[in-house]
Amino acid sequence: MVQAIKVYEGDNVAVVVSGKGMEEGEVLESHNLTLRDFVPQGHKIALEDIPAGGKIIRYGVHIATAKEMIPAGSWVSEALSEIPSSPVLSTLKYKRPDEVKREPLKGYTFMGYRNPDGSVGTRNVLGITTSVQCVAGMVNQLVRRLKEEELPNYPNVDDIVGLNHGYGCGVAINAPAAIIPIRQVKNLSTNPNLGGEVMMVGLGCEKLEMKDLEAFHKEKGSASVSTLVMQDEAFKGYQAMMDAGMELGKKHLAKLNARKREECPVSDLVVGMQCGGSDAFSGLTSNPSIGFAADLIVRAGGTAVFSEVTEVRDAAPVLASRCSDEETFEKLIYELDWYDKYLNLGGADRSANTTPGNKRGGLVNIVEKAMGSVVKSGSMNIDAVVGPGEKLTKKGLVFAATPASDFVCGTCQLASGITLQVFSTGRGTPYSLPMAPVIKVSSRKDLSERWFDIIDLDAGRIAYGEASIEEIGWELFRMILDVASGKTLANVEKLGIQNDLVLFNPAPVT
């Protein structure tokens, strides 16, 4: 029975594995060390005396500084530690990284929906775009009616979703940062899972004008674009608007119904990597497994996308050393610096990220959380960096610079073009997305056993020596292909869980 896990040889702490924790007086056999305190599951035991001002080391990294003497065998709690300063971006310089051996992974395919623009979807969904939050109520009713009355007539269409959001009016539409929410609204409609069919509903007096959205989609060559504006004087009453929406919906459903799955190489797959409700096991089990699967996707020519700026910020030197070229390095530094300034403007810093649940799960601060989060990116060099909601232009490993907030990050990744997401959790969350499947990977066995019908894959077996990171990584990779092909539904799909889109809007609201 594994009692506690030490990650790197130089670490001076180990993480307790047992769900019941370890009791005062219990012996940590791997270090012949008697515990001075009760230490809960996921929390850290000092493996040696750590003096006041001394470094607390996990992942081979200085994650915290001891406020006072922490004797060997003691619980290394948040109260005994303080956060170190974050790496200074201006001191990082580009250096061409060593070439990472990318032995091609051949012979793996999935059944996807190929689009006229060359992109490939994993689902066949009618998305109804909204230009302003004012129309969300109508769109919700429209979606419900279309699903009840029309969707059964189009068996090849998986779902109908309203792309509702809290933007479009009462905003500083010309402020520099307004480009971020606006490009999310535009790019969400071009997600490969929507098949190029663009149906939009607007009010008529909003600042994000329908004509601008129409011009964008026509320029992009979307398969078909149709609009409904509620304030159109041709409509006499609400029922007339709904009838018009139903007719537009049927037109797009008929076109989407003609889509058929076909065999596609993994190079056509775009998978997002994210975590939420993290704990101390996330960086030991689930996130390394996701990173291993990300490497497999990249080796097969596909695209793996990782994000969450505040959860990689303290690993900036590591990420900088993995940038494949100077342009990617400069974009990385720009996005990290932009986010530092954004947080500072709001009177916060990256330490505001860590939640009470994270801390109960053993993460003392954002540095420790970040070191466990960044391993989702695997081991490959970074091929590109995009801003929040920017469209992907390169394949390979991509850093999408998004907030770490679960649904904001997920919405930004959808706008960038992911067609499936893998989501790691240690504390548990019903998180899901409205237009792409989400595979849930648990960091702990007890979570997967408790949430047996929500969690898709239990990576917690790694902590008990029942499976290796490589074995879980391969299991996840094969699951990704099955879910992408529609052969298997992710559990949140089976349960019908769909969370709202949440745009990232750093621009002023008037």
Side-chain angles (χ1 to χ4, degrees), residues 115-403:
N115 297 313
D117 65 358
S119 66
V120 175
T122 65
R123 294 293 182 268
N124 189 21
V125 178
L126 170 60
I128 302 178
T129 297
T130 59
S131 60
V132 64
Q133 66 266 40
C134 309
V135 303
M138 177 204 172
V139 169
N140 288 338
Q141 290 192 354
L142 180 59
V143 168
R144 178 180 54 77
R145 282 194 58 190
L146 283 169
K147 290 176 76 167
E148 291 176 355
E149 300 172 26
E150 296 297 336
L151 189 57
N153 301 321
Y154 303 95
N156 293 331
V157 181
D158 296 313
D159 202 1
I160 303 169
V161 297
L163 308 186
N164 294 325
H165 54 82
Y167 194 73
C169 205
V171 295
I173 199 75
N174 294 317
I179 188 175
I180 294 175
I182 292 171
R183 72 182 174 214
Q184 289 169 77
V185 173
K186 291 177 177 178
N187 288 339
L188 282 165
S189 304
T190 68
N191 186 281
N193 288 350
L194 304 184
E197 295 294 316
V198 180
M199 176 177 169
M200 298 187 290
V201 176
L203 183 59
C205 58
E206 59 269 34
K207 291 182 179 178
L208 181 56
E209 295 189 81
M210 191 68 76
K211 63 182 178 64
D212 295 328
L213 297 179
E214 286 182 296
F216 169 82
H217 288 297
K218 288 176 180 177
E219 181 183 337
K220 291 294 179 183
S222 298
S224 63
V225 181
S226 62
T227 61
L228 184 156
V229 178
M230 292 183 70
Q231 291 176 355
D232 188 329
E233 294 182 1
F235 293 130
K236 304 299 181 183
Y238 183 70
Q239 189 57 50
M241 302 173 201
M242 289 296 292
D243 290 344
M246 293 293 288
E247 290 304 312
L248 289 179
K250 288 191 286 186
K251 180 184 75 172
H252 289 286
L253 286 169
K255 292 182 179 180
L256 288 171
N257 198 54
R259 295 176 89 200
K260 298 289 190 296
R261 289 189 183 272
E262 59 182 271
E263 189 172 21
C264 302
V266 176
S267 58
D268 289 327
L269 196 56
V270 185
V271 180
M273 312 294 180
Q274 196 184 344
C275 58
S278 301
D279 67 357
F281 286 95
S282 297
L284 298 174
T285 60
S286 52
N287 288 346
S289 302
I290 291 174
F292 188 93
D295 284 351
L296 296 177
I297 291 167
V298 173
R299 284 174 53 196
T303 304
V305 181
F306 72 106
S307 298
E308 302 167 284
V309 172
T310 50
E311 295 185 16
V312 302
R313 176 63 179 83
D314 283 280
V318 176
L319 296 183
S321 71
R322 292 170 58 190
C323 290
S324 57
D325 55 48
E326 192 162 3
E327 179 183 0
T328 302
F329 168 83
E330 290 175 354
K331 177 70 168 172
L332 172 72
I333 300 303
Y334 170 82
E335 293 293 348
L336 297 183
D337 181 63
W338 183 93
Y339 212 88
D340 282 354
K341 293 173 181 174
Y342 164 72
L343 289 175
N344 185 59
L345 190 64
D349 62 23
R350 92 269 199 225
S351 66
N353 169 283
T354 319
T355 69
N358 294 153
K359 294 176 181 180
R360 285 193 294 271
L363 298 173
V364 297
N365 59 34
I366 185 55
V367 182
E368 183 178 15
K369 185 178 180 183
M371 294 306 154
S373 174
V374 76
V375 294
K376 296 193 306 295
S377 65
S379 64
M380 299 296 184
N381 286 337
I382 300 169
D383 297 296
V385 174
V386 297
E390 281 187 338
K391 208 71 173 168
L392 303 176
T393 58
K394 289 184 178 180
K395 295 185 177 184
L397 180 63
V398 180
F399 175 58
T402 76

Side-chain angles (χ1 to χ4, degrees), residues 424-471:
S424 160
T425 185
R427 305 293 293 173
T429 169
Y431 171 95
S432 186
L433 293 174
M435 69 173 82
V438 177
I439 295 171
K440 287 283 183 57
V441 183
S442 67
S443 72
R444 296 182 296 124
K445 285 183 67 176
D446 49 337
L447 174 63
S448 67
E449 290 167 356
R450 238 180 337 110
W451 285 26
F452 61 92
D453 52 357
I454 298 179
I455 300 298
D456 297 285
L457 181 62
D458 174 22
R461 291 171 284 164
I462 295 169
Y464 293 90
E466 297 172 5
S468 67
I469 290 172
E470 181 177 352
E471 288 168 339

